[in-house]
Amino acid sequence: MAIPNEKLQQLLQEISSKAAFAEQQLNIVRAQIASKKREERKLQLSNKELSDLPSLTPVYDGVGKMFVGTSIPDVQKKQDREAEDCKKELANLDKKLQYLEQTYKNSTEHIEGILKRGG
């Protein structure tokens, strides 16, 4: 049983639009992952620098447009929470990346299959 050309063309168009959308989302997610990794690395480096400072060194934390004097342990706790949040977000982005890669792969396989059967 052959599929009519109109239906075949419509199906092909749907699948290719899904593949294009998945590819676009893949690029976005990859950029977000790179950004989160940079942020995580920045937090690691600043935490290392803070731990190398003497304990009585005055440090300041940014609050809006001003800076407030605070203790080194408080800043480190805040950065540890931010690093933990980064790890969670990276895990979620990795899951999303795997899903999108699978979607893109399936779409391209379907397109190839339709073209082989239709051609």
Side-chain angles (χ1 to χ4, degrees):
M1 184 164 99
I3 301 174
N5 265 353
E6 293 171 1
K7 293 286 184 180
L8 189 64
Q9 189 174 13
Q10 184 181 7
L11 183 63
L12 197 60
Q13 189 175 10
E14 276 183 38
I15 294 173
S16 55
S17 68
K18 187 179 237 183
F21 179 75
E23 186 176 23
Q24 183 182 30
Q25 291 298 310
L26 272 170
N27 291 333
I28 292 170
V29 169
R30 286 182 182 133
Q32 288 174 336
I33 287 173
S35 173
K36 284 295 173 191
K37 285 185 178 180
R38 280 191 304 272
E39 185 179 338
E40 187 177 40
R41 180 71 177 141
K42 184 179 75 168
L43 286 169
Q44 288 173 352
L45 290 173
S46 63
N47 212 356
K48 181 187 177 306
E49 290 293 323
L50 281 173
S51 64
D52 291 344
L53 292 175
S55 62
L56 297 177
T57 304
V59 292
Y60 299 90
D61 193 18
V63 179
K65 291 185 177 181
M66 64 182 197
F67 294 95
V68 176
T70 185
S71 66
I72 291 176
D74 288 343
V75 173
Q76 287 176 328
K77 286 178 190 175
K78 179 182 174 188
Q79 288 186 340
D80 287 342
R81 282 192 306 270
E82 289 176 11
E84 199 61 37
D85 290 343
C86 270
K87 286 180 184 176
K88 289 177 185 175
E89 289 177 28
L90 273 171
N92 289 337
L93 287 171
D94 282 336
K95 289 177 188 176
K96 188 174 182 179
L97 181 71
Q98 289 174 355
Y99 170 77
L100 289 169
E101 284 174 342
Q102 188 64 40
T103 301
Y104 180 72
K105 180 183 168 211
N106 288 344
S107 296
T108 54
E109 285 175 358
H110 288 348
I111 290 171
E112 289 172 6
I114 289 172
L115 292 176
K116 284 180 184 176
R117 276 187 261 132

